[in-house]
């Protein structure tokens, strides 16, 4: 529970909260994974399945997480201790805190790469370089341990600095600047991309519905992508919800956050595919290397590419930053609420430990294979199993343990007339658990991965 002698931090405004929560949601998952999955898994067909997942599974789970956090006014571990005292449910909170910590350590490494790439591109080091040269530059960067660690450190330091500032004066203040900046840069890139000659081909690749590409794996990817992208299943929304006041409308908040997250993911595809098709013969499904190997070549070939390339990688860094802030805050809130540490030392210690844990992966390999391998492990195994298990247990907790009546009581404070409460109840009790169990099974079943 809280140390009651100290007033708990809180969001300054609903808009501030929505921007921060949307910031947590918008990350590498949106700018990079969503367009890739869409391109590879049937274009508009994937978008449609994804939208259904967000609406039927993502939004209900987000409402549940926000309610748990706001009711308990505590970190993920404390939240379950408050609502279900003396039960093992607190272990679910602990799993979330641990997951947040591990994702943070790896996320800052890749985020550091994006910063370095913004620098390399902006200073013209890619200008006139062919694809072999780009690969060479990439390899020499990722095998240059001190440089990778320096950018990893830089990123971790910025994250710690913002989280140290607190909820309103740190996280909210930063995201109120970063999110509009991110949207502005993204729109600029979209305009550049769709006005290039031959852009139409990219747009039609991105959006043309191709249901023949839809397999069981497609549905599994869409489900997984929805949970990862909305930052669900590991306590981030419980933590952010715990700083909310009783009169905030949790339903509209969950809808706004999901809308911003999905719109940014959707827009990112318009920044990538038209540019890709306008200059390249390369297959858009070029895999994880696309980001760091193919895109610099694309920016080389378009007018003002140096500027737009640097902008793109800077945009990725901002998206990653608003996510690392949330990941760090989950762990920091545990230190503050459970261990009664002060915010500054908590952020510093957790941030330093995450930085140290990230060093082996930062040094692990000087090749694209590392990045692909890292992404694959994170997204194919670690994420589906850990985040989906977390989301499944949250549904069971909200639907059966704490009970849908109690959740609705919490929701009604701030949203007195939630007409879809019966629909929400059916979704959280039955539809979500079954669908999520399907993701978990799918991620371990070889017949799904090979299809
Ligand atoms: N939602 C983030 C993304 O799309 C990742 C994330 C997951 C951030 C969980 C915070 C918590 O990249």
């Amino acid at each position: 529970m809280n140390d009651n002698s100290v007033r708990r931090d809180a969001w300054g405004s609903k808009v501030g909260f929505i921007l921060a929560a949307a910031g947590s949601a918008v990350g590498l998952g949106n700018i990079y994974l969503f367009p890739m999955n869409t391109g590879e898994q049937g274009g508009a067909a994937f978008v449609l399945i994804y939208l259904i997942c967000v609406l039927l599974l993502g939004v209900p789970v987000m409402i549940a997480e926000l309610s748990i956090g706001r009711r308990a006014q505590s970190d993920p571990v404390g939240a379950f201790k408050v609502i279900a005292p003396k039960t093992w449910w607190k272990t679910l909170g602990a799993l979330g805190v641990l997951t947040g910590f591990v994702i943070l350590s790896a996320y800052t490494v890749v985020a550091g790469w994006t910063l370095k790439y913004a620098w390399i591109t902006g200073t013209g080091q890619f200008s006139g370089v062919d694809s072999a040269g780009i690969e060479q530059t990439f390899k020499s960067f990722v095998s240059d341990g001190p440089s990778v660690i320096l950018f990893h450190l830089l990123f971790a330091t910025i994250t710690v600095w913002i989280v140290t500032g607190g909820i309103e004066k740190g996280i909210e203040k930063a995201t109120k600047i970063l999110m509009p900046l991110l949207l502005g840069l993204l729109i600029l890139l979209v305009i550049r991309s769709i006005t290039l000659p031959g852009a139409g081909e990219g747009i039609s690749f991105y959006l043309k519905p191709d249901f023949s590409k839809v397999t069981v794996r497609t549905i599994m990817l869409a489900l997984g992508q929805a949970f990862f992208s909305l930052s669900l299943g590991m306590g981030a929304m419980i933590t952010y919800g715990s700083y909310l006041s009783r009169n905030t409308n949790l339903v509209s908040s969950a809808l706004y956050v999901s809308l911003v997250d999905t719109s940014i993911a959707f827009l990112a595809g318009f920044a990538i595919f038209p540019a890709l098709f306008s200059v390249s013969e390369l297959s858009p499904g070029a895999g994880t290397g696309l980001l760091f190997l193919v895109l610099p070549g694309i920016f080389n070939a378009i007018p003002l590419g140096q500027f737009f390339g640097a902008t793109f990688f800077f945009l990725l860094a901002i998206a990653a930053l608003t996510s690392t802030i949330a990941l760090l805050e989950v762990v920091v809130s545990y230190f503050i609420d459970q261990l009664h540490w002060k915010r500054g030392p908590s952020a510093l210690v957790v941030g330093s430990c995450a930085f140290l844990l990230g060093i082996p992966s930062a040094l692990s390999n000087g090749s694209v294979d590392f990045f692909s391998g890292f992404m694959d492990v994170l997204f194919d195994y670690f994420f589906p199993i850990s985040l989906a298990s977390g989301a499944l247990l949250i549904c069971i907790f909200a639907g059966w343990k704490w009970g849908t009546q109690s959740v609705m009581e919490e929701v009604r404070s701030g949203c007195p007339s939630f007409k879809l409460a019966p629909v929400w109840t059916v979704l959280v009790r039955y539809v979500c658990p079954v669908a999520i169990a399907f993701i978990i099974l799918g991620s371990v079943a070889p017949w799904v991965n090979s299809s």
Side-chain angles (χ1 to χ4, degrees), residues 24-30 103 107 228-231 234 236 323 326-327 387:
S24 147
V26 173
L28 299 173
N30 301 61
I103 300 183
Y107 215 97
F228 183 78
S229 191
L230 295 172
S231 305
M234 46 71 68
S323 292
L327 290 161
L387 294 199

Side-chain angles (χ1 to χ4, degrees), residues 41 58 99 111 128 150 155 179 193 204 324 335 401:
Q41 303 285 329
T99 309
L150 186 76
F155 213 89
M179 290 305 282
S193 184
S204 75
T324 53
F335 272 66
K401 170 71 189 164

Side-chain angles (χ1 to χ4, degrees), residues 98 134 233 245 286 354 368:
L98 192 71
I134 291 171
S245 68
V368 194

Side-chain angles (χ1 to χ4, degrees), residues 34-47:
F34 180 82
M36 285 313 102
N37 280 334
T38 305
E40 284 172 4
Q41 303 285 329
F46 180 82
V47 176

Side-chain angles (χ1 to χ4, degrees), residues 2 7-22 61-75 79 167-168 171-172 235-257 329 333 337 343 410-415:
N2 272 316
R7 210 175 161 270
R8 201 161 191 272
D9 236 332
W11 302 109
S13 64
K14 185 181 174 189
V15 178
F17 158 69
I18 289 173
L19 286 178
V61 174
M62 195 182 293
I63 293 175
E65 281 203 28
L66 292 176
S67 307
I68 294 169
R70 191 179 66 175
R71 165 59 69 89
Q73 298 282 303
S74 191
D75 70 293
I167 296 301
E168 185 180 355
I171 299 180
E172 186 170 339
M237 291 299 163
I238 294 180
T239 307
Y240 272 19
S242 76
Y243 301 114
L244 279 174
S245 68
R246 296 265 168 242
N247 55 15
T248 310
N249 185 330
L250 299 182
V251 177
S252 65
S253 299
L255 283 169
Y256 282 131
V257 171
E329 179 58 30
S333 74
D337 291 341
R343 175 169 284 278
E410 184 60 38
V411 167
R412 287 207 175 94
S413 144
C415 176

Side-chain angles (χ1 to χ4, degrees), residues 11-12 16 19-20 161-162 165-180 325:
W11 302 109
L19 286 178
W161 175 61
I162 292 172
I167 296 301
E168 185 180 355
K169 299 212 170 67
I171 299 180
E172 186 170 339
K173 205 169 147 195
T175 41
K176 270 185 173 166
I177 300 168
L178 294 171
M179 290 305 282
I325 291 171

Side-chain angles (χ1 to χ4, degrees), residues 125 330 355 437:
Q125 292 176 52
V330 171
F355 166 71

